[in-house]
């Protein structure tokens, strides 16, 4: 509680300078698929042998690696919400259709154990490359993963100063190292050879020492992290990315731009798109609109289309953000090609583009002039002598359905509609 109070007080007392601390605009926070460190071409099915090492934990590490390789949404997690992240977590989302992280098929352990038993083999024997090739052919896999696990543990006591003296502290630490090899069963060559080391430690003092994690718990955490790291090294994974949109400042399109940005922030990309596209149809040389449309294409994985819009934005304005986005999507295009080589194809997201959708986005909103106690007539026809359909208070907003000279046809509650003079309204 003291920490939260101090943080809040710091925010209040820190002077605000809009030039040094520009107010961020609306953002999209979404998970996107990123490439692995090692892209495996032509490898679709693998076997994972038990890692060598202390038998008590190598099976656990092997199971962690397999489960992570089979996880289709690896990296996606719930997101904090509310002030200081204390609100109810919300579900993490990806907008990339067809994107998944389980791009490799892993043979079942039961099948692996049966073949090994039939061949009278032990996992520790599978270090010879020729045996790996022969065994892989029996299993029908293109590669076999082998490795070994070592780890160290340590426990130490110390003290820390507290009011009135000192109190005893206890620290436990673990460092786990896995050396991993992936060997081709066709050629016997080593496709991957890498090492992962995960150090973890925890320290508690005084009465909290009883809640200190055991060595076993710390080691289990390290093995889970290694399993995820191995999977991420050879298959894609999801990462949380944040895309800040550009505020549309042109007065004529400001309200429509806000509507689009709010939809985008809520990850309603189709709704956001038709509003930005409506602005683009009227103002095709607005770099901010081009950039925002590029963002919408990027978050759904349409990297080729995103690159095109970012290129147009860069041509119109020399902006670092635009250039960074263009470079980012160039890498995205290369990633799509690499994924395709590995057998994974992301679906192209089809944004709405019907005349009806775009017409709806191009509808303008107006606000009736006057005070809430005023009553402004809405007429049946665009004529002062026409019958009155309704009398509405000042300040209310209506959607313009059609324009007729000095008159606007607006939609009313209950599905009705009527005409109001242009002089009686203003843009919101």
């Amino acid at each position: 509680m003291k920490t939260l109070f101090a943080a809040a007080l710091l925010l209040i007392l820190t002077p605000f300078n809009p030039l040094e601390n520009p107010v961020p605009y609306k953002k999209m926070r979404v998970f996107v698929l990123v490439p692995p460190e090692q892209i495996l071409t032509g490898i679709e099915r693998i076997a994972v042998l038990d890692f060598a090492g202390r038998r008590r934990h190598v099976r656990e590490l092997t199971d962690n690696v397999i489960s992570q390789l089979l996880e289709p949404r690896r990296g996606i997690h719930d997101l904090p919400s509310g002030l200081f992240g204390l609100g109810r977590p919300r579900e993490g989302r990806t907008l990339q259709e067809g994107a998944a992280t389980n791009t490799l098929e892993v043979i079942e352990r039961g099948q692996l154990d049966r073949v090994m038993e039939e061949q009278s083999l032990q996992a520790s024997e599978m270090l010879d490359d020729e045996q790996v090739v022969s065994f892989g052919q029996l299993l029908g896999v293109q590669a076999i993963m082998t490795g070994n696990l070592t780890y160290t543990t340590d426990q130490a006591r110390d003290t820390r100063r507290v009011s009135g003296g000192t109190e005893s502290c206890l620290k436990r630490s673990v460092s786990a190292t896995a050396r991993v090899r992936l060997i081709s069963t066709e050629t016997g060559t080593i496709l991957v050879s890498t090492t992962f080391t995960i150090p973890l430690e925890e320290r508690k003092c005084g009465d909290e020492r009883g809640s200190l994690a055991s060595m076993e718990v710390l080691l289990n955490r390290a093995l889970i992290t290694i399993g995820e790291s191995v999977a991420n090294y050879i298959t894609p994974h999801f990462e949380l990315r944040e895309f800040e949109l550009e505020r549309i400042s042109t007065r004529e399109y400001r309200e429509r731009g806000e509507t689009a940005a709010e939809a985008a922030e809520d990850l309603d990309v189709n709704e956001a798109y038709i509003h930005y596209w409506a602005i683009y149809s009227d103002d095709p040389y607005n770099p901010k609109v081009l950039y925002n449309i590029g963002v919408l294409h990027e978050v759904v994985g349409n990297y080729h289309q995103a690159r095109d819009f970012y290129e147009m934005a860069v041509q119109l304005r020399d902006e670092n953000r635009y250039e960074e986005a263009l470079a980012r999507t160039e890498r995205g295009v290369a990633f799509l090609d690499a994924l395709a080589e590995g057998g994974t194809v992301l679906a192209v997201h089809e944004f709405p583009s019907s005349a009806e959708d775009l017409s709806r986005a191009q509808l303008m909103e107006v606000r009736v002039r006057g005070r809430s106690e005023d009553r402004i007539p809405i007429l049946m026809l665009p004529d002062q002598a026409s019958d009155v359909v309704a009398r509405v208070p000042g300040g209310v907003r209506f959607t313009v359905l059609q324009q007729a000279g000095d008159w606007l046809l607006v939609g009313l509650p209950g599905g009705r509609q009527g005409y109001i003079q242009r002089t009686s309204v203003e843009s919101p």
Side-chain angles (χ1 to χ4, degrees):
M1 183 62 70
K2 290 181 178 179
T3 302
L4 290 177
F5 176 77
L9 186 61
L10 180 63
L11 288 174
I12 295 172
L13 297 179
T14 301
F16 176 75
N17 185 330
L19 297 179
E20 295 180 359
N21 305 290
V23 178
Y25 189 49
K26 299 186 185 301
K27 298 179 179 179
M28 302 181 69
R29 300 188 71 208
V30 65
F31 287 90
V32 299
L33 199 65
V34 298
E37 185 74 20
Q38 182 71 47
I39 296 175
L40 303 174
T41 303
I43 304 297
E44 298 179 1
R45 195 165 188 255
I46 71 169
V48 180
L49 301 185
D50 281 343
F51 282 58
R54 299 184 191 179
R55 193 66 183 173
R56 182 180 177 186
H57 295 291
V58 292
R59 188 84 175 207
E60 181 180 351
L61 174 57
T62 307
D63 289 342
N64 286 340
V65 171
I66 293 174
S67 65
Q68 291 292 339
L69 287 171
L70 297 176
E71 171 57 48
R73 291 166 57 87
R74 187 180 345 107
I76 297 180
H77 54 80
D78 290 345
L79 301 177
S81 63
L83 184 63
F84 302 114
L86 299 178
R88 182 178 180 179
R90 57 187 178 88
E91 183 183 6
R93 290 180 57 191
T94 181
L95 301 175
Q96 295 179 329
E97 301 167 23
T101 54
N102 55 342
T103 56
L104 292 177
E105 181 184 354
V106 183
I107 68 167
E108 296 181 355
R109 180 181 286 278
Q111 180 183 353
L112 176 62
D113 291 341
R114 283 195 301 272
V115 174
M116 292 189 69
E117 184 178 352
E118 291 172 359
Q119 300 298 314
S120 300
L121 295 172
Q122 299 294 324
S124 58
E125 298 174 2
M126 298 303 300
L127 299 177
D128 182 86
D129 291 351
E130 291 185 5
Q131 288 180 306
V132 167
V133 172
S134 175
F135 190 56
Q137 292 173 348
L138 290 173
L139 292 171
V141 298
Q142 288 88 40
I144 289 182
M145 180 181 292
T146 65
N148 65 74
L149 169 68
T150 58
Y151 61 87
T152 60
T153 62
D154 185 54
Q155 180 169 290
R157 298 181 182 274
D158 59 2
T159 59
R160 74 174 182 182
R161 291 184 178 275
V162 295
S163 177
T166 61
E167 65 179 5
S168 178
C169 300
L170 181 61
K171 182 177 72 172
R172 292 182 179 135
S173 58
V174 166
S175 181
T177 297
R179 295 172 178 83
V180 182
R181 293 198 311 168
L182 191 67
I183 305 171
S184 169
T185 59
E186 296 179 356
T187 63
T189 58
I190 298 175
L191 303 173
V192 172
S193 180
T194 188
T195 301
F196 301 94
T197 298
I198 305 297
L200 293 177
E201 70 174 31
E202 190 171 306
R203 178 175 179 262
K204 294 288 180 70
C205 300
D207 296 337
E208 295 182 347
R209 286 177 299 172
S211 62
L212 185 66
S214 67
M215 292 293 190
E216 189 71 14
V217 169
L218 287 176
L219 181 57
N220 288 342
R221 292 175 185 171
L223 296 183
I224 290 173
T225 303
I226 288 177
E228 185 175 8
S229 299
V230 172
N232 289 349
Y233 193 85
I234 60 174
T235 59
H237 64 281
F238 286 102
E239 283 187 1
L240 180 63
R241 296 283 174 85
E242 190 173 76
F243 300 85
E244 183 175 352
L245 298 164
E246 290 274 38
R247 187 191 301 273
I248 306 302
S249 54
T250 307
R251 187 176 185 277
E252 183 179 355
Y253 306 113
R254 189 180 304 158
E255 184 69 19
R256 195 177 296 157
E258 288 298 314
T259 300
E262 289 171 4
E265 193 171 47
D266 292 336
L267 303 186
D268 188 351
V269 289
N270 286 344
E271 183 70 12
Y273 181 85
I274 61 176
H275 287 288
Y276 280 133
W277 189 263
I279 301 174
Y280 170 72
S281 298
D282 288 344
D283 189 12
Y285 298 102
N286 188 324
K288 294 182 177 181
V289 176
L290 293 168
Y291 174 81
N292 289 347
I293 293 177
V295 168
L296 294 180
H297 276 294
E298 184 177 359
V299 297
V300 299
N302 294 352
Y303 293 117
H304 291 89
Q305 295 87 334
R307 178 181 60 183
D308 292 342
F309 280 96
Y310 287 149
E311 281 181 345
M312 290 188 286
V314 168
Q315 289 174 3
L316 294 172
R317 177 177 294 177
D318 185 13
E319 179 96 12
N320 286 339
R321 180 187 295 187
Y322 300 170
E323 293 175 353
E324 291 170 1
L326 179 57
R328 191 172 60 237
T329 49
E330 290 284 6
R331 293 192 297 271
V333 169
F335 176 40
L336 286 183
D337 294 340
L339 279 179
E341 289 184 14
T344 300
V345 178
L346 294 187
V348 175
H349 182 90
E350 299 292 344
F351 284 108
S353 58
S354 69
E356 181 181 349
D357 289 327
L358 298 181
S359 295
R360 178 170 62 84
Q362 289 172 326
L363 294 178
M364 180 177 62
E365 233 186 29
V366 292
R367 180 171 50 231
V368 178
R369 296 182 186 273
R371 301 167 298 176
S372 59
E373 57 268 25
D374 295 335
R375 291 296 180 269
I376 291 83
I378 305 292
L379 306 180
M380 182 176 294
L381 299 172
D383 189 327
Q384 288 284 14
S386 177
D387 293 338
V388 175
V389 176
R391 296 185 183 274
V392 299
V396 297
R397 297 185 181 190
F398 293 113
T399 298
V400 176
L401 305 177
Q402 184 179 327
Q403 302 181 42
D406 293 333
W407 295 85
L408 301 174
L409 179 64
V410 297
L412 301 173
R416 297 186 301 165
Q417 59 188 33
Y419 289 89
I420 186 171
Q421 286 187 299
R422 288 180 182 271
T423 54
S424 298
V425 301
E426 59 185 7
S427 297

